[in-house]
Amino acid sequence: MPILTIDGKTIEVEKGTTILQAAQRLGIDIPHYCYHPGLRIAGSCRMCLVEIQGVPKLQIACYTEATDGMVVFTQSEKVQQARRAVLEFLLVDHPLDCPVCDQAGECYLQIYYMQHGLHPSRVREDKLKRAKVRVLGEHIVLDQERCILCSRCVRFTEEVTRTFELGIFNRGDRSVVDVYPGEQLRNRYQGNLADICPVGALTDRQFRFRTRVWYLDQAKSICPGCSRGCNIVVDFNVRRGYKAGGRRIPRIRPRPNPWVNQYWMCDDGRYGFGWVEGLDRILSPKLLENGHPREIPWAEAIRLAGAWIGEAAREKKLGVLLSPRMSNEEIYAASYVLRSLGVGNVGYWAEPATPGDEDDLLIKADKNPNTYGARLITGVPQEDHLARMVEALSSGAVDTVLIFLHNLEQARAGRAALETLRRAKRFVFVGTNWNRTAAAASLVLPVTAFTEQEGTFTNFQGRVQRFWQAVEPMGQARSALSVLNELAASWGIPPLPDNAAEAFARLASENRAFAGLSYETLGDQGQTVRASEEPGVVGP
C-alpha cells in the first residue's frame, strides 16, 4: 500500500485512495466544492488544488491518487494563491447577498472566503442577472445567481435517484443549472439536494427563513419513518423559542452510515416528523368520564392503570398490543413486566390496511422502525395480532386491553377493532398523539416521542442503532420505560432500570440475539444482532 506525506504527516493508504481522502484521514482539511463522497468525482471546481513535490503544476486532490513516496503540500504559498484566484473567479457574478441568504452559516463560499480569500473585489462591471427564486419541485427552490456550477445536484439526480431532472444549460459565463424544459423535480429524495449544495443555490422550501442555523443544536438520531432506520441529525432550537414559529425542531437531516443509508434520506422521513410537535400531542393523562376525557394526575393514572391491568391479568382477561414503534428497551421492559404478571396474550403487529410502498434505494414497505426488534425480543411471529385481539374481545376471552402507540384506523382490522373496543370493559392507551384509538380509550397515558428520549431501534437488516434525546418531553409526557417501571412497582414486581442504557444492558444479558452489545459498542453507526439467532441477518 502506498505511503505518502501530506504537510509533514505520513500515512499509509489503500491503493486507489485520493490525496483528498488521505488528507481527511489525517485531519487535514482541503477545501473543495464539487467533490462529494457519495458521488462520482467531477474535478471541476479546482478548489482542492495542492502542490506535489516534483510535479510542476498544481494538481486536484479529489482526483489524484496517492502514490508511494508522494510528498504533498496543502498550505504552500502557491496553493493559497490558487485558492484565492478560484474564489475570486467564483465570486465575479455572485450577488454577495449573505445577510439575506438562508445558507449563511453553512455556505462554503462564505466559509472558504473567510479562511482563504479575504481579498477586496476588483470587479467594476455589472454582474450577470439570473433567476432568483425558481421553484424546482415540492421541496426545493433554486437561486441561479448563487450557483457555482459544482454539478453535485446534477450528479445526484443522475447517479442516486436516476431521475435525470437536472442539467447544466448554455455555455461559458451564461451556464446555469436548471431542470429540463417541462420538467419538475419528481423524485422522493429532493431534500438531499439542499444538503449537498455547498452554497445557497438550492435551499429547502420547508426550512428556509425559519431560523438561522447558528441558533440550532444537534442530536444524533434514527428516522422512525420505516424499517430502514436511516441515520439522521435532529436540529433543534431551545434557546430562542420565538424562532421557527415556536417549533423546537425545524428540520432533520441525514447522517452518513455506509451500512444503512449512505449519505441520504427520503423526503417522507425528512418532512414527516411534524407529529412530534403536533397540536394533537397528548400532554397529560386523561380519564374518560361520561364520554369526555378529564385530566388526572399521573399518580391517579398509574393507580387506575395498575388496578385495571392487574385485575385483568389475574383473571386471564388481558389483551396487550405492543408496538413496533417502541424502542428495544421499551419492548423489553413491557415483555418483562407482562411476563412477571403471567400475561401470555401479547402481540405487537397490526397488519396495515394498505401495503406500504418501497423502492430500490432506501424506502421500505414496513413503516415501523423496530419490527425486527419486537420480533426478536417478544419471540412472537409477525402475524396480525390486532385481528387476534378483536376475536378475543368478541368471544369474551379478553375484556381489558392495553395498546401502545397504534393508530388503528390505519390497520386492516382497524374498523372492527374500534367497534369492538367500545365494548371492552377497560381500555388503556399509551401513546404520543390523539387519534381515534386514543379517543376510544378509558384511560390515556402520554409518553415521549423519539426526539425526547434515548434508546435503540433494530432495523430490517438486524442492525441495532442508538438514538439520542434532543429536547425535553412535551407537557407531562413520560418515557414508556418510566411508566412501565411505575406500573411494575404498583404490582410489587422488582423494579426495572429507569435508564435506557441499563435497560439495554439487561436485554443484552438475557436475549442471545443482543448478546455482547452495549451502548458503547453500538457507537454512532450500530451493530447487527447475532446472525445465528435470526436466519438471513448479515453485516458487520
Side-chain angles (χ1 to χ4, degrees):
M1 294 195 294
I3 299 174
L4 72 159
T5 303
I6 305 176
D7 293 345
K9 299 179 180 178
T10 302
I11 185 172
E12 184 176 4
V13 296
E14 301 81 15
K15 185 174 173 52
T17 304
T18 64
I19 294 174
L20 181 62
Q21 292 166 335
Q24 287 177 333
R25 293 181 197 176
L26 285 170
I28 297 172
D29 181 34
I30 298 177
H32 56 274
Y33 288 118
C34 65
Y35 172 77
H36 187 285
L39 303 171
R40 68 178 161 80
I41 296 171
S44 61
C45 74
R46 321 309 284 182
M47 192 62 191
C48 64
L49 288 167
V50 294
E51 187 174 359
I52 302 173
Q53 192 175 66
V55 179
K57 291 185 178 181
L58 299 179
Q59 303 294 309
I60 51 174
C62 69
Y63 190 75
T64 308
E65 286 189 16
T67 57
D68 199 35
M70 180 181 274
V71 179
V72 180
F73 304 97
T74 71
Q75 300 296 329
S76 68
E77 179 54 36
K78 195 174 176 182
V79 169
Q80 293 185 26
Q81 186 178 357
R83 287 176 188 162
R84 284 194 293 271
V86 170
L87 281 169
E88 184 175 22
F89 179 74
L90 292 175
L91 289 166
V92 165
D93 281 321
H94 191 276
L96 303 178
D97 56 351
C98 301
V100 297
C101 177
D102 196 56
Q103 191 77 1
E106 295 180 322
C107 172
Y108 280 88
L109 200 54
Q110 188 183 54
I111 293 169
Y112 289 158
Y113 175 78
M114 298 304 292
Q115 292 176 347
H116 307 284
L118 291 177
H119 50 72
S121 174
R122 292 184 291 173
V123 177
R124 300 292 177 265
E125 297 80 10
D126 291 338
K127 298 194 175 196
L128 287 177
K129 299 297 181 186
R130 300 184 177 91
K132 287 295 290 180
V133 185
R134 183 160 167 71
V135 175
L136 299 188
E138 183 180 1
H139 302 298
I140 296 297
V141 63
L142 167 66
D143 185 324
Q144 290 179 336
E145 290 185 352
R146 296 175 186 161
C147 179
I148 60 170
L149 299 174
C150 70
S151 77
R152 283 186 181 186
C153 54
V154 176
R155 283 176 283 151
F156 178 81
T157 60
E158 291 175 352
E159 301 164 22
V160 180
T161 63
R162 301 190 63 78
T163 45
F164 302 93
E165 301 104 319
L166 290 170
I168 295 178
F169 300 87
N170 304 327
R171 304 177 68 179
D173 65 352
R174 266 60 179 176
S175 299
V176 291
V177 163
D178 208 342
V179 289
Y180 282 93
E183 283 275 10
Q184 284 271 293
L185 290 173
R186 61 181 182 281
N187 69 74
R188 298 177 66 182
Y189 296 85
Q190 295 176 30
N192 297 288
L193 294 169
D195 296 335
I196 63 175
C197 180
V199 296
L202 295 170
T203 48
D204 187 323
R205 295 178 66 188
Q206 276 70 30
F207 174 71
R208 68 200 305 254
F209 305 131
R210 296 183 69 182
T211 183
R212 285 298 196 181
V213 296
W214 48 82
Y215 294 142
L216 298 175
D217 295 307
Q218 286 76 39
K220 297 170 187 171
S221 191
I222 302 298
C223 176
C226 78
S227 59
R228 169 74 61 179
C230 289
N231 290 208
I232 60 172
V233 173
V234 176
D235 284 325
F236 63 96
N237 170 26
V238 294
R239 290 175 289 170
R240 291 169 175 79
Y242 53 88
K243 295 289 183 183
R247 296 180 72 88
R248 299 178 298 173
I249 303 174
R251 73 173 176 184
I252 61 175
R253 297 174 287 132
R255 179 165 56 91
N257 186 332
W259 303 106
V260 180
N261 56 299
Q262 297 291 320
Y263 302 90
W264 325 116
M265 71 180 298
C266 73
D267 292 340
D268 295 350
R270 183 187 297 265
Y271 303 110
F273 66 96
W275 60 272
V276 170
E277 297 192 300
L279 296 175
D280 59 351
R281 274 297 296 270
I282 304 171
L283 300 177
S284 60
K286 303 278 188 182
L287 176 67
L288 188 70
E289 281 186 344
N290 302 320
H292 299 285
R294 176 175 69 84
E295 182 175 334
I296 58 174
W298 262 109
E300 184 181 353
I302 292 293
R303 183 182 61 76
L304 287 173
W308 295 354
I309 296 170
E311 178 185 330
R314 287 190 296 275
E315 297 173 355
K316 308 296 182 188
K317 292 279 191 176
L318 177 64
V320 180
L321 191 64
L322 304 179
S323 169
R325 303 191 68 78
M326 298 166 71
S327 69
N328 289 316
E329 294 79 359
E330 292 166 345
I331 295 171
Y332 163 73
S335 300
Y336 166 79
V337 170
L338 294 166
R339 196 168 56 243
S340 301
L341 277 180
V343 179
N345 202 3
V346 177
Y348 56 86
W349 184 253
E351 194 66 30
T354 54
D357 60 315
E358 69 176 18
D359 63 15
D360 296 331
L361 186 52
L362 295 178
I363 299 170
K364 301 299 295 180
D366 179 3
K367 303 306 177 187
N368 302 289
N370 202 28
T371 305
Y372 203 128
R375 195 166 69 236
L376 284 179
I377 297 167
T378 62
V380 177
Q382 185 180 335
E383 300 166 346
D384 196 346
H385 304 138
L386 176 64
R388 194 178 68 192
M389 175 181 284
V390 172
E391 291 176 7
L393 274 167
S394 301
S395 67
V398 162
D399 66 5
T400 299
V401 173
L402 172 63
I403 294 180
F404 288 79
L405 294 174
H406 282 275
N407 183 355
L408 299 185
E409 280 189 294
Q410 299 170 354
R412 180 186 294 173
R415 179 176 295 180
L418 288 169
E419 285 297 320
T420 311
L421 282 170
R422 296 183 192 284
R423 299 194 293 272
K425 183 179 178 183
R426 290 152 180 165
F427 169 22
V428 180
F429 178 76
V430 182
T432 57
N433 295 69
W434 285 104
N435 51 39
R436 284 192 62 193
T437 313
S442 323
L443 180 63
V444 177
L445 306 180
V447 290
T448 48
F450 75 104
T451 53
E452 299 164 350
Q453 64 180 70
E454 65 173 343
T456 59
F457 292 135
T458 307
N459 79 351
F460 78 103
Q461 301 163 305
R463 177 167 287 271
V464 185
Q465 303 185 99
R466 287 185 66 183
F467 56 91
W468 284 258
Q469 181 177 359
V471 295
E472 292 297 316
M474 285 190 74
Q476 301 177 34
R478 297 181 179 181
S479 73
L481 268 182
S482 172
V483 174
L484 288 164
N485 221 343
E486 292 194 50
L487 288 172
S490 73
W491 298 319
I493 296 173
L496 285 159
D498 206 12
N499 170 292
E502 293 175 10
F504 187 82
R506 284 269 295 268
L507 166 64
S509 69
E510 295 179 13
N511 189 309
R512 288 186 301 171
F514 294 85
L517 302 182
S518 70
Y519 272 23
E520 288 71 29
T521 60
L522 293 179
D524 291 351
Q525 298 188 329
Q527 284 188 309
T528 50
V529 294
R530 293 177 59 180
S532 59
E533 303 302 325
E534 201 46 35
V537 176
V538 294

